[in-house]
Amino acid sequence: MKRLHVNLAVSSIEESVQFYNAMFNAEPTVLKPDYAKWISDNPSMNFSISLSKSELGLKHLGIQVESEQELQEVYSNIERAEGTIREEGDTVCCYAQSTKSWIKDPQGVEWEAFFTYGESEVNKVASEECCDDTCCPS
């Protein structure tokens, strides 16, 4: 099963969690001081919010898959889209261990394709390239 992933940058985790708990009629599956995530089958989504020091609103979109085989299918679609692909590979981001790649659409919106295979106690492992300003430690 593939899930649509949406990540929003917010100014207050507490206020936003309260709002989205009501919107989705569900508690987050992950709740941290700087991050929250709701996984849902109806609708099929991975919706996350991240505390941000910069611009608020949509940070990126993505497609989350449940297997390496599905990830290869999505990677094939990304290649056909003919954009610049940034392969991140195995990484830790948003309190999860994942394999992922990125591409920007013609409007500049970043899309990630990823397979999550574990949890992490940290938000992001320090790296030169980062998915957004909330993942990289200062």
Side-chain angles (χ1 to χ4, degrees):
M1 169 192 287
K2 298 176 182 104
R3 294 181 196 277
L4 179 65
H5 169 58
V6 177
N7 179 257
L8 297 181
V10 300
S11 60
S12 169
I13 292 293
E14 296 80 18
E15 287 178 345
S16 296
V17 165
Q18 184 177 7
F19 177 86
Y20 288 111
N21 281 350
M23 284 288 294
F24 302 143
N25 193 32
E27 298 289 319
T29 53
V30 175
L31 180 59
K32 304 290 184 180
D34 60 345
Y35 178 84
K37 174 171 58 178
W38 291 260
I39 299 287
S40 172
D41 288 331
N42 188 15
S44 182
M45 68 174 183
N46 170 337
F47 182 87
S48 64
I49 58 175
S50 304
L51 193 60
S52 181
K53 299 173 258 179
S54 62
E55 290 184 41
L56 303 179
L58 180 65
K59 293 303 282 185
H60 65 267
L61 299 169
I63 299 173
Q64 180 181 13
V65 300
E66 293 185 355
S67 71
E68 289 282 347
Q69 180 180 355
E70 283 184 332
L71 186 61
Q72 293 310 312
E73 292 171 16
V74 175
Y75 281 178
S76 292
N77 295 344
I78 286 174
E79 289 174 11
R80 281 196 305 278
E82 297 183 4
T84 301
I85 298 170
R86 180 170 50 94
E87 294 181 22
E88 196 168 357
D90 291 329
T91 189
V92 171
C93 186
C94 303
Y95 299 95
Q97 297 174 322
S98 302
T99 302
K100 63 176 71 178
S101 286
W102 296 83
I103 191 168
K104 286 185 181 180
D105 76 4
Q107 288 67 236
V109 176
E110 282 207 311
W111 280 81
E112 69 176 318
F114 64 103
F115 168 61
T116 297
Y117 54 84
E119 296 179 3
S120 173
E121 293 299 315
V122 297
N123 193 349
K124 177 71 177 174
V125 172
S127 68
E128 289 183 24
E129 292 189 34
C130 189
C131 57
D132 62 49
D133 65 343
T134 63
C135 284
C136 292
S138 305

